[in-house]
Amino acid sequence: MSSNPVAATVASLMPGAKAELTELVAFKSVADFDQFPRSESEGAARWVADALRAEGFADVALLDTPDGTQSVYGHLPGPEGAKTVLLYAHYDVQPPLDEAAWTTPPFELTERDGRWYGRGAADCKGGVIMHLLALRALKANGGIPVHVKIIAEGSEEQGTGGLERYAEEHPELLEADTIVIGDAGNFRVGLPTVTSTLRGMTLVRVRVDTLEGNLHSGSFGGAAPDALAALIRVLDSLRAKDGSTTVDGLAGDTAWDGLQYDEEQFRKDARVLDGVGLIGSGTVADRIWARPAVTVLGIDCPPSSAPPRPCTRAPAP
């Protein structure tokens, strides 16, 4: 038993937390209602709302956000004059894709080698449970010294901006002195990690049009501009020969002076194939924590068996 009373309390609460996470993971709360029933997401939202009420939260509400999903809000009053902390997590999850490819059922929390697996067990239903567990531990050890607001988003994985637009229309709702986001993780097991800042993100969709209609490459190739080839050149210009990001206006030589990331461990964590080198220069920590990165998420391209036609490509660096 730990000599730290808060840690000891957390350890005693873990069996109950696992049971709760099992219930929450069971909801197929993918916020794409063409793929999964809306009732699954609504059920998960009600579960979170009930959990907040059970912890003494007031003003618990299911907020109908502009993208057609629900975010769960609650307020737990603290001592008079205390600061306000906003806790964030999301209960929606990515679709599991090929469920047959999973080692265990995606919506069934399963323990393997001391770890808990299931869709959303970490990202971010685990974050919801983490917030609840922390509040319970504080209550059992002198009480919660601050006012607490909590918001559990219902469409973070879809990127449809429902909560963002709702917050813009109701800015007072999420006002706080500090925000603690549950949608993060530890650097490695056994090393508690606080993420204080992240690289910003911009999604870009690029469309290339070069021809008005279909052409046969045997008759026109060599002079007629090909959209796919042009797109490949554009994408290639985003990186130097060693793979370093080269985007005008973004510094590509900054260094990370904190915790370092062993290269072999990174290769294992990223599941890089044998014989494949990493891209970029500097330490791994420099590349992933201190410098910009560009990722091509996809190219919309006809299969090679299709007849030649003008190509519209949609990468997202």
Side-chain angles (χ1 to χ4, degrees), residues 8 12-14 18 36 55 63 71 80 86 100 117 124-125 139 165 202 204 207 220 239 258 269:
S12 70
L13 293 172
M14 289 301 287
K18 182 181 180 182
F36 288 85
E55 293 303 314
L63 309 178
S71 290
E80 184 177 354
L86 173 65
Y117 294 87
C124 183
K125 293 177 178 179
K139 284 182 181 179
R165 284 179 279 160
T202 298
V204 178
R207 171 172 173 156
F220 294 91
R239 293 195 180 98
D269 293 344

Side-chain angles (χ1 to χ4, degrees), residues 109-298:
L109 191 70
T110 306
E111 183 170 346
R112 301 198 309 271
D113 300 324
R115 305 295 299 275
W116 300 344
Y117 294 87
R119 179 55 97 211
D123 183 10
C124 183
K125 293 177 178 179
V128 174
I129 302 302
M130 178 196 72
H131 288 320
L132 293 175
L133 201 65
L135 293 173
R136 291 165 184 163
L138 289 173
K139 284 182 181 179
N141 290 274
I144 300 172
V146 294
H147 301 287
V148 177
K149 293 180 178 180
I150 191 166
I151 188 76
E153 189 174 1
S155 57
E156 190 271 351
E157 298 289 2
Q158 295 300 311
T160 46
L163 178 59
E164 178 182 0
R165 284 179 279 160
Y166 190 94
E168 290 171 349
E169 296 169 1
H170 306 84
E172 74 290 343
L173 189 73
L174 303 182
E175 285 182 351
D177 298 287
T178 300
I179 301 174
V180 178
I181 298 175
D183 194 2
N186 291 335
F187 175 63
R188 60 173 175 263
V189 175
L191 182 62
T193 305
V194 174
T195 300
S196 60
T197 186
L198 295 170
R199 292 183 291 191
M201 180 176 69
T202 298
L203 297 178
V204 178
R205 182 178 295 271
V206 178
R207 171 172 173 156
V208 177
D209 293 307
T210 59
L211 303 171
E212 290 185 353
N214 295 340
L215 294 177
H216 194 293
S217 58
S219 300
F220 294 91
D226 178 80
L228 182 56
L231 179 59
I232 291 171
R233 285 296 184 96
V234 170
L235 298 179
D236 186 56
S237 73
L238 298 173
R239 293 195 180 98
K241 287 185 177 180
D242 66 359
S244 299
T245 301
T246 54
V247 176
D248 291 347
L250 297 181
D253 58 355
T254 48
W256 181 260
D257 60 3
L259 181 71
Q260 294 299 305
Y261 201 151
D262 178 74
E263 184 168 325
E264 287 306 311
Q265 184 62 49
F266 177 81
R267 292 181 64 89
K268 179 180 178 182
D269 293 344
R271 299 196 293 179
V272 179
L273 296 175
D274 290 342
V276 176
L278 303 183
I279 63 173
S281 61
T283 68
V284 170
D286 292 340
R287 283 174 266 181
I288 65 174
W289 293 330
R291 299 178 182 178
V294 172
T295 301
V296 179
L297 299 181

